[in-house]
Amino acid sequence: MSMSMFSKLESVELRFVELESSLARADLSGKELTKLIKERGAIAELIETYRLYKNAIADKECAQEMLRDNDPETRAMAKDELESLGVTINDLEDALRILTLPQDPNDDKNVIVEIRAGTGGDEAAIFVGDLLRMYQRCAEKQGWQCEMLSSTPSNVGGLKEVMFLLKGDKIYSRLKFESGVHRVQRVPVTETQGRVHTSACTVAILAEADELEEIVLNPKDLDISTTRSSGAGGQHVNTTDSAIRIVHVPSGIAVECQAERSQHKNKEKALKVLKARLKERAEREQASAMAQDRKGQVGTGDRSERIRTYNFPQGRLTDHRINLTLYKLDQVMEGDIGDVLDALASHYQTELLKQEMAQV
């Protein structure tokens, strides 16, 4: 391990000890407690791994001392111990390199997912519904909460667009690479000749702005209007102006919410989405030099701008960014997307490690 990494880890461990001491105080306010717990949680795995590494180094020094012993059996035992510790130390060093990579500040946040039909007409709208179901099933498997925000139905039973909130542990870190154009190849239900069609949808993953970030909206900047709810909903549909549309005048960003019968609840959810979009927009502007790498850029919805293809005739899923192909499309559409998410995260970590090593 380099001295620079050692110094960095020592400084993080010192901060960890300070946090544990602060959390023991009885005069903490709710916000202070939440902030400290969040900071401690962010470095807990790193410190646990670092302490295991230091213990392994100490054990190695003891084994090296044993090599000088006059007893042959003791020396043989020390040799075996050193071989085992060498593997352990190498593994822990690899883990520490990954854990000390630059962290995305949004990784532990909830996400707002937007899915919109792109090229492909009715088939694209049907696939929006399929992707919604896929993410809902994934959320069920992971124990995440799913809260619908808005949806616009199509004429053939699909959805032109849908927006929902997912709540849980480190959801953004898991789903952030889902943003982009998702392409589907299959025979549509409306196709009478049995021909395979290609359609596309765009997925956007937005980190939810939490209360601690205090994204302030000036009421004077908001144009708020009410409309009648659309879509399925029984006798209450088109009887009250409960749907809310908010336009943030300075940015031109518009959001709508009609998931609730209560106008107040729809307004609350719409403001939450607006804050998330403003947060994402500000981050994108700050990192404009890296805009082509940002996963929040989902393109126009054209078939050629794809990150992933779902080929139903072949039962194949292909993620074009990392050349990953899986022949388990049925399971994927039932929410079993862990292999894809793991592969994307691993690829991203590898790329970061390459950049870090290049700078050394």
Side-chain angles (χ1 to χ4, degrees):
M1 180 187 294
S2 66
M3 285 303 299
S4 60
M5 179 177 278
F6 177 77
S7 298
K8 179 179 179 180
L9 289 168
E10 284 291 296
S11 126
V12 176
E13 185 175 30
L14 179 60
R15 178 57 183 160
F16 186 82
V17 172
E18 291 174 351
L19 287 168
E20 298 232 293
S21 176
S22 296
L23 285 167
R25 284 166 39 204
D27 60 340
L28 289 173
S29 67
K31 276 192 174 182
E32 287 176 321
L33 181 61
T34 300
K35 185 177 180 180
L36 291 174
I37 290 175
K38 183 177 178 181
E39 186 180 352
R40 181 192 181 282
I43 60 175
E45 185 180 0
L46 173 61
I47 295 308
E48 180 182 357
T49 305
Y50 180 48
R51 288 174 174 174
L52 288 173
Y53 174 79
K54 289 199 295 185
N55 288 338
I57 292 294
D59 290 342
K60 179 181 177 181
E61 291 173 354
C62 289
Q64 287 172 334
E65 285 292 326
M66 291 168 61
L67 279 177
R68 302 185 183 96
D69 197 283
N70 294 326
D71 181 24
E73 289 187 7
T74 300
R75 291 198 301 272
M77 186 187 304
K79 185 178 178 181
D80 291 341
E81 181 74 5
L82 283 171
E83 289 180 3
S84 175
L85 284 169
V87 175
T88 299
I89 289 170
N90 285 335
D91 289 344
L92 289 170
E93 284 184 346
D94 289 342
L96 287 170
R97 288 190 189 97
I98 292 173
L99 290 169
T100 53
L101 289 173
Q103 297 296 305
D104 188 328
N106 293 323
D107 274 352
D108 62 347
K109 289 184 170 56
N110 298 326
V111 300
I112 292 170
V113 184
E114 297 179 354
I115 311 175
R116 300 178 187 276
T119 53
D122 291 341
E123 174 62 11
I126 291 172
F127 193 53
V128 169
D130 293 338
L131 289 177
L132 167 63
R133 183 175 182 274
M134 180 184 79
Y135 288 123
Q136 286 178 323
R137 288 297 179 88
C138 174
E140 290 173 7
K141 294 175 187 290
Q142 298 296 322
W144 300 337
Q145 296 177 39
C146 180
E147 182 179 321
M148 294 300 297
L149 297 175
S150 69
S151 63
T152 303
S154 70
N155 297 325
V156 292
L159 296 164
K160 294 178 182 177
E161 60 182 34
V162 65
M163 187 163 50
F164 53 98
L165 172 67
L166 292 177
K167 298 179 179 180
D169 184 41
K170 295 184 179 297
I171 295 184
Y172 186 82
S173 70
R174 292 293 284 160
L175 294 182
K176 60 184 175 183
F177 302 117
E178 290 299 285
S179 292
V181 175
H182 294 236
R183 187 175 67 171
V184 58
Q185 295 175 328
R186 65 183 174 188
V187 179
V189 293
T190 55
E191 169 60 51
T192 58
Q193 303 297 319
R195 295 172 297 185
V196 174
H197 288 225
T198 300
S199 306
C201 301
T202 61
V203 174
I205 305 293
L206 305 175
E208 182 188 24
D210 59 40
E211 295 178 2
L212 293 176
E213 290 174 317
E214 294 294 337
I215 292 180
V216 179
L217 295 175
N218 187 339
K220 294 181 180 179
D221 292 338
L222 304 179
D223 181 5
I224 303 176
S225 57
T226 59
T227 58
R228 295 186 185 276
S229 297
S230 61
Q235 62 182 339
H236 293 277
V237 172
N238 295 328
T239 60
T240 59
D241 293 330
S242 60
I244 290 289
R245 185 173 191 270
I246 302 177
V247 178
H248 184 252
V249 178
S251 66
I253 294 175
V255 298
E256 296 183 23
C257 188
Q258 58 177 356
E260 304 286 346
R261 293 176 182 171
S262 163
Q263 187 180 112
H264 174 74
K265 289 182 179 179
N266 280 330
K267 180 180 178 181
E268 185 178 293
K269 289 185 175 182
L271 286 172
K272 181 178 293 187
V273 174
L274 177 58
K275 288 182 178 182
R277 287 187 179 173
L278 287 170
K279 178 178 182 296
E280 193 270 345
R281 179 174 179 265
E283 290 174 347
R284 188 171 66 246
E285 289 175 350
Q286 290 171 4
S288 59
M290 301 172 64
Q292 64 179 5
D293 295 326
R294 281 192 56 79
K295 305 305 176 183
Q297 306 305 306
V298 297
T300 64
D302 185 86
R303 283 184 290 256
S304 63
E305 298 178 332
R306 80 279 191 266
I307 64 165
R308 187 177 298 157
T309 295
Y310 303 73
N311 186 302
F312 279 78
Q314 298 179 17
R316 167 174 57 82
L317 175 143
T318 301
D319 196 291
H320 305 285
R321 295 163 295 180
I322 56 175
N323 296 319
L324 172 71
T325 297
L326 298 174
Y327 288 90
K328 48 179 287 184
L329 189 55
D330 288 346
Q331 295 98 306
V332 167
M333 298 312 296
E334 288 297 320
D336 185 12
I337 61 175
D339 289 346
V340 185
L341 301 181
D342 289 342
L344 286 165
S346 177
H347 175 79
Y348 178 69
Q349 286 179 344
T350 300
E351 291 302 307
L352 278 180
L353 278 170
K354 288 179 182 177
Q355 294 174 20
E356 289 287 305
M357 296 301 292
Q359 294 173 6
V360 174

